[in-house]
Amino acid sequence: METLITVEIITGMLFIGLAMIAGYRGNKVTGAVTFSLFAVIVSPLVVGGTLLTGYFFIDQVGVWAGSLMEAALLLLGMATLAGYLGHKVMGAVMLGIGAACAAIISIAGTLSGYFLGEDTGAWIGLLTGVVLAGIVVAPLLGRLIKGRSGLFLGGIWLGFSALSVFGYLAGGAVGFLTITLPAIALFWVGLYRVAAYLLPLQERTQRPQAFRSLLTFNMGTNYPYYFVDEEGKLDLRVDGDRFRRFFAGPGWVYTGCDHAAYVTDGVANNRVFEPGLSFTGVFDMPPKIMDLRPQLRACAVEALTKDGIPVKVMTFISFRVETGGQQVRLGQSFPLRRRAVFQVVAKELVEKSGAKYEWDGQLVPVIATRIVQDIISRYTVDELCASLEPGRNPRVEIASEMSKRVQEALQPWGIEFVGGGIGNLEPQDKAVVERRLDSWRTEWMRKILLSMGEGKAERARQIELAQAEAETEIVLRLSQIVEESMRSGDVSQTALALRFIDSLGEFISEAGVYGEVPEGVGNTLRRLRGEIEQRQS
């Protein structure tokens, strides 16, 4: 009896220590104090109940009764503590009642078997009571918490029962203290550690949620699990009831480095989850996925010119969720501003017909279309398609003004303008195109003819100038020949003629400077020189 008392006191102290640790992990100092007080109240009941049971039934049931009461009360305390961690007071009541029912069935089966067949009957009754409790209580408790089944709770119950029996067989009350309790603690601590590696957690603070997620998934009370693929498509991996309250949740949403998630419960709890794994809570609606990569949208804009001619132009706009000036860095997710995401979601357009313009769908093209239409309305079709002002390009002007105005228009929406441009400006009516072609053809033919006339006049002027220069050159050279002949005393007609012919030959060799010289002039000069020399001889 003294050994039993010592074991029970150690068991109570150990239970108080475990409760203090669990409370501190749940709610720091406040949780540690609360759970410690709870354990201080429960421990005397466990120890006292075990000792009294062993004392009063020492002649009939003996250690059987004491050990069963010890295990039952410990189970009740653990279940109540786990229920409080899971769902506060209501959870403690539900799991406490379930544990009490299972313990009562097991104790009743053991005592009935003992009275019928002493030790052998007690073992048979114990196994029967444990199995019966697992078959009846676990599914019933699973239905109360609205889980998929009670298999997980039944497995926990059978595992606890097996560890209790093993510890008792190994060393009685001492075995229960040194084997069963450490094994149970090791199981839950190990499960808590393993849960942190089953999901790609981003922070250590997510470990409790990962552990709870593992438990609720096995109980079937989890909230929906969502996965976002590379294309930004939301995929429901595991379904769940987001309105369930008892021992439920969390859910989670997992996105890549280029997507974020906006989650709301439809009332006031609005959150923005950065890329990676994030946990959702009760009432949270399916997340809205935000693509953080630059988006490119093209739309055909139809507008009226200043002179009432309908034109069509392809418009291109590149944009993204506002980043606040942050740049994409290798090894990190795409940057974003949470405030910008809230702005984008809150200001998406909804028409009276119910049509909704998503920010990365038709919202930006709708804004850009109105701006382009306003800009084009200030131009005539001739100014757009055939500007007669040198150095002016209407496309560049329109694209520049459009980019500036779209950037200003998107700022209140939390959208950052990256770039934009327009294609060719084309009248929608083909007849207008034909008429404009005829008009342009006439205008350009006039310009061609005018240019050709100016060119011919310039050519004639240049020819006349060249001829005048040639005549002047001939007269100057003839004057030089006469002066040189008079100084040399050789002023005969023959000598003058020969010198004149040589001068013309030199002029012909320089004809490229003054213009073209008729063919055969060189041969004629050589023939004349030959005839003069022949007559002189």
Side-chain angles (χ1 to χ4, degrees):
M1 191 69 179
E2 294 179 355
T3 304
L4 181 61
I5 293 174
T6 302
V7 170
E8 295 304 320
I9 293 175
I10 296 174
T11 303
M13 295 177 63
L14 181 62
F15 180 71
I16 294 174
L18 292 176
M20 183 181 298
I21 295 173
Y24 184 80
R25 294 299 299 269
N27 197 14
K28 300 299 179 182
V29 178
T30 304
V33 173
T34 304
F35 283 12
S36 298
L37 292 175
F38 173 79
V40 168
I41 296 173
V42 174
S43 295
L45 298 177
V46 176
V47 176
T50 302
L51 295 177
L52 289 175
T53 304
Y55 178 79
F56 285 112
F57 293 95
I58 194 66
D59 295 333
Q60 301 179 12
V61 183
V63 181
W64 276 103
S67 299
L68 286 175
M69 285 297 297
E70 180 182 39
L73 293 176
L74 181 63
L75 172 64
L76 178 61
M78 292 177 58
T80 305
L81 182 62
Y84 184 82
L85 289 174
H87 202 72
K88 303 301 180 183
V89 177
M90 184 60 68
V93 171
M94 293 181 64
L95 282 187
I97 292 175
C101 293
I104 290 173
I105 293 175
S106 299
I107 293 175
T110 303
L111 295 179
S112 300
Y114 182 83
F115 287 123
L116 294 176
E118 296 188 351
D119 289 346
T120 302
W123 280 111
I124 295 175
L126 175 62
L127 294 178
T128 303
V130 168
V131 173
L132 183 62
I135 294 175
V136 175
V137 177
L140 180 62
L141 191 59
R143 288 187 178 183
L144 288 177
I145 63 176
K146 298 182 179 181
R148 283 190 291 269
S149 67
L151 294 179
F152 178 73
L153 295 176
I156 295 296
W157 161 251
L158 293 177
F160 173 80
S161 301
L163 287 174
S164 300
V165 171
F166 180 77
Y168 175 78
L169 292 177
V174 177
F176 186 84
L177 176 64
T178 59
I179 297 177
T180 301
L181 292 182
I184 293 174
L186 184 63
F187 169 76
W188 288 110
V189 171
L191 194 64
Y192 179 84
R193 293 291 183 180
V194 169
Y197 296 97
L198 296 179
L199 295 174
L201 304 182
Q202 301 186 78
E203 301 174 354
R204 294 177 60 88
T205 56
Q206 292 180 318
R207 286 187 173 185
Q209 291 177 303
F211 178 63
R212 184 183 178 92
S213 179
L214 177 61
L215 297 180
T216 56
F217 173 77
N218 285 280
M219 289 189 297
T221 58
N222 59 279
Y223 297 145
Y225 297 163
Y226 295 99
F227 181 84
V228 180
D229 59 19
E230 295 181 356
E231 301 299 326
K233 181 180 179 182
L234 187 65
D235 181 21
L236 177 62
R237 291 296 178 88
V238 179
D239 198 5
D241 184 3
R242 61 189 178 93
F243 299 103
R244 184 180 288 121
R245 301 296 300 272
F246 295 111
F247 296 100
W252 53 259
V253 53
Y254 181 77
T255 64
C257 65
D258 49 3
H259 290 86
Y262 172 82
V263 178
T264 178
D265 60 1
V267 182
N269 189 15
N270 305 323
R271 288 150 291 159
V272 176
F273 293 148
E274 295 184 356
L277 180 72
S278 301
F279 291 95
T280 60
V282 63
F283 303 138
D284 282 342
M285 302 173 66
K288 177 178 178 59
I289 305 304
M290 309 295 294
D291 195 339
L292 304 180
R293 298 170 295 183
Q295 308 293 309
L296 177 64
R297 297 292 180 268
C299 58
V301 178
E302 298 180 356
L304 289 177
T305 63
K306 187 176 181 180
D307 47 359
I309 303 299
V311 297
K312 185 177 182 181
V313 59
M314 186 62 68
T315 305
F316 306 89
I317 301 293
S318 179
F319 58 94
R320 63 184 176 188
V321 177
E322 186 179 349
T323 62
Q326 303 178 67
Q327 300 297 324
V328 179
R329 296 182 180 180
L330 186 63
Q332 298 183 6
S333 59
F334 279 73
L336 81 156
R337 291 182 62 206
R338 295 177 181 271
R339 179 182 177 184
V341 176
F342 284 119
Q343 288 178 313
V344 168
V345 176
K347 293 188 177 182
E348 287 182 332
L349 293 177
V350 179
E351 299 289 350
K352 292 183 179 179
S353 60
K356 185 176 182 179
Y357 295 126
E358 302 286 345
W359 78 276
D360 57 347
Q362 295 300 318
L363 175 61
V364 175
V366 166
I367 296 175
T369 297
R370 296 171 182 173
I371 293 175
V372 173
Q373 289 174 339
D374 179 65
I375 296 173
I376 291 178
S377 65
R378 302 199 302 266
Y379 289 82
T380 64
V381 69
D382 288 337
E383 291 174 337
L384 292 175
C385 303
S387 177
L388 301 179
E389 299 181 20
R392 184 182 181 187
N393 190 336
R395 284 183 56 192
V396 175
E397 294 177 1
I398 295 174
S400 177
E401 184 178 355
M402 178 203 68
S403 299
K404 181 179 180 180
R405 292 179 58 179
V406 170
Q407 183 177 7
E408 295 174 352
L410 293 181
Q411 285 181 352
W413 300 73
I415 302 175
E416 180 179 335
F417 177 79
V418 178
I422 62 172
N424 293 328
L425 294 153
E426 302 175 352
Q428 298 186 46
D429 190 354
K430 299 300 182 182
V432 173
V433 177
E434 295 297 331
R435 289 195 298 268
R436 297 312 306 166
L437 288 175
D438 293 339
S439 176
W440 296 334
R441 185 181 298 111
T442 303
E443 179 65 22
W444 283 108
M445 286 297 298
R446 184 186 67 81
K447 291 182 179 181
I448 291 173
L449 294 177
L450 180 60
S451 298
M452 290 177 63
E454 293 176 352
K456 290 180 179 180
E458 180 64 20
R459 181 174 181 275
R461 190 180 67 82
Q462 293 293 339
I463 291 175
E464 291 178 357
L465 180 60
Q467 289 177 350
E469 291 179 354
E471 292 175 358
T472 303
E473 183 68 21
I474 292 173
V475 171
L476 291 175
R477 290 196 179 192
L478 183 58
S479 300
Q480 292 176 357
I481 292 172
V482 173
E483 290 179 0
E484 291 176 358
S485 298
M486 291 179 66
R487 284 196 299 266
S488 62
D490 186 9
V491 292
S492 62
Q493 293 183 353
T494 301
L496 291 175
L498 291 175
R499 293 291 301 278
F500 180 70
I501 290 174
D502 292 337
S503 179
L504 289 178
E506 295 175 0
F507 177 75
I508 291 174
S509 64
E510 300 174 357
V513 179
Y514 304 104
E516 297 182 356
V517 178
E519 297 181 0
V521 173
N523 295 330
T524 301
L525 293 176
R526 286 192 291 272
R527 183 173 57 80
L528 289 175
R529 183 179 181 81
E531 291 179 357
I532 293 172
E533 290 177 348
Q534 183 178 6
R535 289 179 182 178
Q536 186 179 6
S537 61

